[in-house]
Amino acid sequence: MKATGIVRKIDELGRVVIPKEIRRIMRIHESDPLEIFTGNNGEVIFKKYSPLVQLGSIGALYAEVLHNTSGYVVAVCNTDRVVAVAGIPEKEILERRVSEAYNLVRHKNFSHSSINIDRLRPVEGIDMVAIVSAPIIAAGTVCGSICLLAENNAVSFAGNTEMKLIATAAAFLGLQMEG
């Protein structure tokens, strides 16, 4: 754990305010679910909760099938990180942060292709662009997204088939989280 030097008191209702700087750095937004853990040395640990991570291998299997069908690299992301990938070695992209620009687009329940968006890079530190993406929605809340990726210099555009594939994958994963 990393010390921040910030101390907060618990109010009469048992609430603690997470400082704005930490919320910004950790990308914690209003109504984001947090999971609470306790440590052996009296620690209380808050971690952003991701229902997509709870799906386990289902997201990875769907990404693999989608990659085999489309030929594109497929990334399944929660609100912060890539949680499943197919089409490139996992070590290159798994657990990398989702870019701020992609988060803004994704939170607007917006599907796109590179024809509409100027080569959006969804994953930090990776020179790949989203060809098409769709939000994963469970119980009316955007929990993540799934996207087809291509090299930045590739001339790839999503057609109707790719858009339908990615929309189907997003709907399926959303339903899996609800069930």
Side-chain angles (χ1 to χ4, degrees), residues 4 22 27 51 75 94 96 108 111 116 125 146 160 171:
T4 64
I22 292 175
R27 297 183 184 173
L94 199 62
R96 285 191 181 255
K108 294 181 180 178
S111 294
N116 309 43
I146 184 166
N160 200 32

Side-chain angles (χ1 to χ4, degrees), residues 69-165:
T69 304
S70 69
Y72 287 104
V73 172
V74 179
V76 179
C77 308
N78 64 16
T79 56
D80 284 326
R81 300 193 180 279
V82 176
V83 297
V85 65
I88 60 173
E90 286 184 348
K91 65 181 180 189
E92 290 184 28
I93 192 171
L94 199 62
E95 290 298 318
R96 285 191 181 255
R97 288 182 71 146
V98 173
S99 71
E100 284 294 328
Y102 187 64
N103 255 335
L104 292 173
V105 171
R106 185 184 47 79
H107 272 89
K108 294 181 180 178
N109 297 349
F110 181 71
S111 294
H112 69 278
S113 80
S114 57
I115 297 169
N116 309 43
I117 299 291
D118 186 24
R119 309 304 269 182
L120 181 65
R121 288 183 180 83
V123 182
E124 290 180 356
I126 298 292
D127 195 29
M128 298 186 93
V129 294
I131 299 303
V132 65
S133 72
I136 298 171
I137 301 171
T141 303
V142 176
C143 301
S145 60
I146 184 166
C147 59
L148 300 180
L149 302 172
E151 295 294 329
N152 187 29
N153 56 4
V155 182
S156 296
F157 297 102
N160 200 32
T161 302
E162 289 84 4
M163 289 182 189
K164 286 182 179 180
L165 281 171

